[in-house]
Amino acid sequence: SDDGARLDADRLRDGLDAAVREDVAQAGREDSWIASPGDATCTIADDDEEESVGIDEDEANALWRGMSEEDRTGHLDEVPGPDGVMVRPSHDRPRPPGGTSVDSQLRRDPGLLGLDNVRRVDVGDVGSVRWDEPLVISGAVSGETLRRGDALLDRGRLMSAHGEAEVRTGNRETFIDNGFTNSKPMSLKDALGQGRMVFTPVDGELPEGLVHELGRFVDCIRRIDARGFSPRKFTLTIAETGFGIGMHKHNPAMFMLLQGRKKWYMARGGSLDPSGETHPGFYGELSSHKCVQQPGEVLFVPGDWWHEIFNLSYTVGIQGLPS
């Protein structure tokens, strides 16, 4: 209804139309975002819905805490379980069907403990590498810092020192699509006691004492020179043996592992059809890059790369994303 808003919408439409026409002309290229030529246009839809209302962070968190299970996960589509059976995401089922032990994953992936084809590089040599494929960076965390992490991040110590802290929890399925919104609030003590996966922003939600303790590890990620990629949003992740977040993709990310071991499965964004049969094949031929991440290593995952994690033990780490 506003002339200025309409002008902006028209400019947006014209710009997108031009981009569509250019991409149609180059359809079929690997980097094309249109699969094949056809009638592709951009239109501006009239919005007759109720006007959006802005709320502050405290109000948003209050709404999040009060959400029902239906509100948290009822809108989520089914996702493939580890064995390919479609699963409806739910907090009522902490673990996916089909078994989550190391032995069960070995049946899906005989190379679980051995196959590792991701390049490793010392943090001092990252200036000479390309950032278009996954990369394991060593040396970003000193031995002393890692030993300090062993003491601070021990499960029992976290439960006794920070057990009352509120954290965001979920599981392999609920975290795939916007895990922050779909997550379930729980005390850290209850989450660890029930084997729930923890995925909580370091700044703004965790208690000051825990944020201070994690600061030394966050600084290790900040110091990595990744040619313009600068993580600014950091998330504490804690998980038991078994699956991490199911197959998903997002912006480029770094993940620093501080305790335990993780098996990573990764594939370039356009290399598979997520609507097709992806599992259990993603643990084998459908993922091009695999590695076992050790404590103190930082894994870089490029933007738009599919990835999934299997935790070989209790793990604690910090994820860094762009702001």
Side-chain angles (χ1 to χ4, degrees):
S1 60
D2 179 80
D3 290 341
R6 171 52 58 186
L7 178 61
D8 289 340
D10 288 343
R11 288 175 176 171
L12 175 64
R13 180 199 60 214
D14 292 344
L16 287 174
D17 269 342
V20 166
R21 286 194 298 272
E22 179 181 356
D23 208 71
V24 165
Q26 303 178 57
R29 291 189 337 182
E30 183 177 348
D31 62 347
S32 171
W33 56 278
I34 292 180
S36 60
D39 294 329
T41 60
C42 174
T43 59
I44 305 299
D46 290 330
D47 185 5
D48 295 327
E49 300 294 327
E50 183 177 346
E51 183 178 353
S52 299
V53 177
I55 60 175
D56 62 27
E57 186 173 354
D58 289 340
E59 291 176 297
N61 283 335
L63 289 172
W64 166 68
R65 292 185 185 97
M67 291 170 67
S68 66
E69 173 66 17
E70 176 64 23
D71 288 336
R72 291 185 197 284
T73 60
H75 61 288
L76 298 176
D77 294 330
E78 290 185 332
V79 297
D83 296 309
V85 177
M86 299 305 290
V87 180
R88 176 71 64 182
S90 171
H91 289 286
D92 294 334
R93 185 188 53 258
R95 294 177 179 270
T100 60
S101 67
V102 172
D103 285 343
S104 64
Q105 186 63 4
L106 273 168
R107 289 192 290 272
R108 304 180 188 101
D109 172 22
L112 175 68
L113 303 177
L115 181 57
D116 189 322
N117 62 357
V118 176
R119 180 183 177 187
R120 281 172 159 77
V121 62
D122 184 84
V123 67
D125 298 324
V126 296
S128 62
V129 302
R130 299 177 61 180
W131 297 89
D132 57 351
E133 291 188 341
L135 188 71
V136 175
I137 303 167
S138 60
V141 187
S142 69
E144 179 182 354
T145 299
L146 198 58
R147 288 189 293 273
R148 182 63 174 157
D150 284 340
L152 291 174
L153 303 174
D154 172 77
R155 183 196 285 104
R157 194 265 171 183
L158 283 174
M159 292 175 73
S160 62
H162 304 291
E164 300 308 312
E166 181 183 74
V167 294
R168 295 178 182 262
T169 69
N171 55 53
R172 177 185 179 275
E173 290 80 37
T174 62
F175 275 135
I176 289 177
D177 179 17
N178 194 348
F180 287 109
T181 300
N182 305 328
S183 60
K184 183 175 183 177
M186 189 177 290
S187 72
L188 180 58
K189 183 177 181 179
D190 287 345
L192 295 178
Q194 297 177 24
R196 302 274 179 166
M197 196 187 311
V198 173
F199 197 74
T200 300
V202 172
D203 293 319
E205 295 192 14
L206 293 175
E208 183 176 345
L210 182 52
V211 172
H212 177 73
E213 293 172 0
L214 296 175
R216 71 192 69 206
F217 311 116
V218 168
D219 288 343
C220 292
I221 303 178
R222 291 185 193 275
R223 287 195 290 267
I224 299 175
D225 181 10
R227 291 190 183 178
F229 170 66
S230 180
R232 299 190 181 279
K233 179 181 179 181
F234 300 94
T235 304
L236 171 66
T237 70
I238 306 175
E240 299 291 341
T241 302
F243 289 98
I245 302 175
M247 191 185 83
H248 65 292
K249 62 180 180 176
H250 46 62
N251 290 330
M254 288 186 179
F255 186 89
M256 172 180 287
L257 186 61
L258 298 168
Q259 281 203 10
R261 293 188 304 154
K262 287 179 176 283
K263 179 63 177 273
W264 289 78
Y265 304 92
M266 295 165 282
R268 201 178 299 273
S271 64
L272 58 84
D273 179 6
S275 65
E277 295 184 5
T278 58
H279 290 72
F282 193 66
Y283 309 128
E285 71 281 0
L286 294 183
S287 57
S288 59
H289 291 63
K290 304 173 179 69
C291 70
V292 175
Q293 187 182 17
Q294 307 289 342
E297 293 182 334
V298 177
L299 176 70
F300 171 75
V301 181
D304 204 40
W305 273 64
W306 295 107
H307 54 285
E308 184 170 346
I309 308 101
F310 185 88
N311 297 292
L312 295 166
S313 63
Y314 166 77
T315 61
V316 182
I318 296 177
Q319 175 185 267
L321 285 168
S323 58

